[in-house]
Amino acid sequence: MSKVQCRQLRGKKKDELLKQLDTLKQELATLRVAQVTGGAASKLAKIRVVRKSIGKVNTVVREAQIENLKKFYAGKKFKPLDMRPKLTRAIRKKLTRHQQNKRTPKEMRKNSLFSLRR
């Protein structure tokens, strides 16, 4: 099997991708057997190409999965942790604008009675 390109894979359906993944894994297994038995140098060099192709297929499958999940959670209130923006811990824990502007009744009364001089 020749080199696999991601742009060719993106047009395929999930079952086709999984079928191709199975064939690549079988091919890798046969190449590994050839490696142990002392096969030709061309077969040994092909192991790397097949491994990279398996990685590309897995990447495309995962990308499609993430895209579908993004569509599913688009209008929802909560999202899974891995789909939320990473940012920094401090920014994630920071109070919202609404929470920052909230005042207690005692604080509001104090501000109205003892407002700043003009």
Side-chain angles (χ1 to χ4, degrees), residues 6 10 56 58-68:
C6 286
R10 287 196 176 96
K56 287 176 186 175
N58 280 331
T59 301
V60 171
V61 169
R62 179 74 179 135
E63 282 175 352
Q65 195 176 28
I66 289 172
E67 192 176 319
N68 290 335

Side-chain angles (χ1 to χ4, degrees), residues 23-32 47 50-51 54:
T23 57
L24 285 169
K25 285 184 177 180
Q26 288 172 356
E27 186 178 355
L28 182 63
T30 57
L31 289 172
R32 291 247 165 91
I47 290 177
V50 174
R51 282 179 54 239
I54 289 172

Side-chain angles (χ1 to χ4, degrees), residues 11-113:
K12 294 184 178 182
K13 292 195 174 5
K14 187 177 179 182
D15 359 334
E16 294 173 12
L17 289 172
L18 294 177
K19 209 178 290 179
Q20 186 170 2
L21 188 64
D22 287 338
T23 57
L24 285 169
K25 285 184 177 180
Q26 288 172 356
E27 186 178 355
L28 182 63
T30 57
L31 289 172
R32 291 247 165 91
V33 169
Q35 181 184 23
V36 171
T37 57
S42 61
K43 282 195 172 187
L44 299 181
K46 201 172 180 186
I47 290 177
R48 181 175 188 272
V49 175
V50 174
R51 282 179 54 239
K52 301 296 178 186
S53 298
I54 289 172
K56 287 176 186 175
V57 173
N58 280 331
T59 301
V60 171
V61 169
R62 179 74 179 135
E63 282 175 352
Q65 195 176 28
I66 289 172
E67 192 176 319
N68 290 335
L69 284 171
K70 279 185 182 177
K71 287 178 187 172
F72 179 75
Y73 286 108
K76 309 267 193 219
K77 185 175 180 183
F78 298 111
K79 291 181 182 176
L81 292 176
D82 60 339
M83 294 187 71
R84 296 177 194 172
K86 178 76 172 137
L87 305 174
T88 62
R89 188 169 187 273
I91 293 173
R92 287 196 310 265
K93 304 294 180 190
K94 191 171 89 169
L95 293 175
T96 62
R97 290 258 182 234
H98 178 72
Q99 291 169 335
Q100 287 173 355
N101 295 330
K102 266 188 144 182
R103 303 285 176 239
T104 62
K106 183 176 182 179
E107 191 178 4
M108 290 183 344
R109 188 171 59 248
K110 188 177 176 186
N111 285 341
S112 67
L113 294 175

